[in-house]
Amino acid sequence: MLAVLQETLLPLLDGMLTADLAAATAHSTNSTSSTSSSIGDTQQGATAVRLDGRACAVIITAMQTLTNALKGANQSRQQQRALQDDMTGSAHRIFKLFLAPSVLPTATPQAFAMLAGSAAKLKIRSVSQRQLLALLQGLLGAAAAVQDRPAVPGEPDLLTPQHLSQTLWGVATLLSAQQATPPDPSTQQAMADVALLLTRHAELLATVKPVELCNTLSAFVICEGRPPPGLVADLVRALAEERNLSRAIPQDLGRVLWAVAKLDRGQDVAPEVCLRITSALCRSVGVILGSLRQPVCIPWRCECCCTSRLCER
């Protein structure tokens, strides 16, 4: 399987990517020459570039999944390193093709999230901050394009909180991997604009899940960015609602409290809101520990777990 991947599949993919990148570059160059030639070049470019935004996102996601599956394979460190280099090289070319002017408009919000999340998990350190800014700006454009249309459940280009939070987390992780933290003002502003879509649209905030709130806040911590005013308080209040507290896992609750400590520093988030989340975290941990056969002493004191007799006073 490894030999087939490295000797056959990746070279075929690289050949396709090289041809599509060349076609996309030629299309971009010709489209700026004159208005009359731009129309013909657009038609020719659309035929030459075989991969659209969704195809790029699906391929890079498949590469990330395959890389994880092969981690346990019987191979030397040298083979693992060679495979990782091949994968990240191909993934970066997919990333560049995705951002090409003839490809980017074809991408749905879901494709942006898939691309950013998979690129971060593949640890592609060669992606520049300029490319990440273009990705964020592309998502803002795609979001604006779909928001005015009536929502159809299950529609692939429907904008969801997951698309926003996963893209932000992926961009922040890639920035951190490059040690490009904090990001430049333009990138910070684009991240803020994407995050604010969650709070400015009631239908998005009403359907957001705890993990999506967590990933959005964590993104600013990871890249040492500055969230826009009011964002942290709005997202934390959303998490403190019963519908979210009742389904949140301890990891998400803990990460949100950590993000509040790093980003808010007690300025906007009301103490009672943090208390609700802390109490939910303690109850959740208490349920987990209460299901264990061996008695466990929690190494901290709080009203919730102490009254449950799960820790010593």
Side-chain angles (χ1 to χ4, degrees):
M1 176 63 182
L2 185 60
V4 172
L5 176 65
Q6 291 184 296
E7 297 174 9
T8 304
L9 295 182
L10 284 178
L12 285 174
L13 176 61
D14 286 341
M16 180 181 293
L17 291 173
T18 300
D20 277 15
L21 278 169
T25 301
H27 167 75
S28 177
T29 302
N30 293 335
S31 63
T32 58
S33 59
S34 66
T35 303
S36 59
S37 63
S38 176
I39 298 176
D41 292 335
T42 299
Q43 295 174 346
Q44 181 180 0
T47 303
V49 179
R50 292 162 289 183
L51 299 176
D52 61 6
R54 177 168 177 78
C56 290
V58 169
I59 291 173
I60 198 171
T61 301
M63 293 176 68
Q64 184 263 320
T65 303
L66 186 58
T67 300
N68 284 344
L70 291 174
K71 282 182 179 179
N74 186 18
Q75 51 184 317
S76 65
R77 287 188 178 181
Q78 184 177 1
Q79 290 175 316
Q80 291 179 356
R81 192 178 300 110
L83 175 62
Q84 182 69 25
D85 291 343
D86 290 342
M87 285 289 198
T88 53
S90 297
H92 188 207
R93 283 188 283 275
I94 293 173
F95 203 103
K96 290 195 294 184
L97 178 61
F98 184 93
L99 296 177
S102 58
V103 178
L104 191 63
T106 69
T108 64
Q110 182 185 44
F112 284 91
M114 293 170 64
L115 185 89
S118 297
K121 292 175 183 177
L122 283 169
K123 302 177 181 178
I124 308 176
R125 293 183 172 85
S126 51
V127 177
S128 68
Q129 187 164 174
R130 179 179 57 83
Q131 290 173 321
L132 294 175
L133 174 60
L135 185 74
L136 292 168
Q137 292 172 337
L139 174 58
L140 290 169
V146 303
Q147 280 174 344
D148 295 333
R149 300 205 307 265
V152 178
E155 186 181 7
D157 59 352
L158 182 69
L159 181 67
T160 70
Q162 180 187 12
H163 301 153
L164 302 176
S165 63
Q166 186 170 328
T167 302
L168 286 171
W169 176 85
V171 168
T173 302
L174 289 169
L175 286 169
S176 178
Q178 302 167 12
Q179 298 183 344
T181 56
D184 61 40
S186 297
T187 304
Q188 288 211 50
Q189 184 60 54
M191 290 185 66
D193 291 340
V194 171
L196 285 172
L197 290 176
L198 275 176
T199 58
R200 289 177 177 171
H201 298 275
E203 66 276 11
L204 292 178
L205 197 59
T207 59
V208 69
K209 298 177 183 177
V211 66
E212 295 158 355
L213 293 166
C214 174
N215 285 340
T216 301
L217 290 172
S218 296
F220 289 95
V221 178
I222 292 170
C223 71
E224 302 177 16
R226 291 186 177 181
L231 177 73
V232 177
D234 289 342
L235 296 185
V236 173
R237 275 196 301 269
L239 179 63
E241 295 176 4
E242 184 58 34
R243 66 179 181 88
N244 283 322
L245 285 182
S246 60
R247 57 180 177 170
I249 63 175
Q251 180 183 6
D252 292 338
L253 296 172
R255 288 174 64 199
V256 166
L257 291 172
W258 167 67
V260 171
K262 297 287 287 187
L263 299 173
D264 183 72
R265 302 186 184 279
Q267 297 179 3
D268 295 323
V269 180
E272 58 269 21
V273 175
C274 286
L275 180 60
R276 281 176 57 84
I277 297 174
T278 304
S279 298
L281 172 61
C282 293
R283 288 195 301 270
S284 182
V285 172
V287 169
I288 295 173
L289 295 178
S291 65
L292 299 178
R293 295 182 179 181
Q294 299 295 328
V296 178
C297 178
I298 302 177
W300 67 81
R301 291 180 55 189
C302 69
E303 181 181 356
C304 301
C305 61
C306 286
T307 55
S308 302
R309 296 182 180 179
L310 289 172
C311 70
E312 298 176 351
R313 293 184 180 273

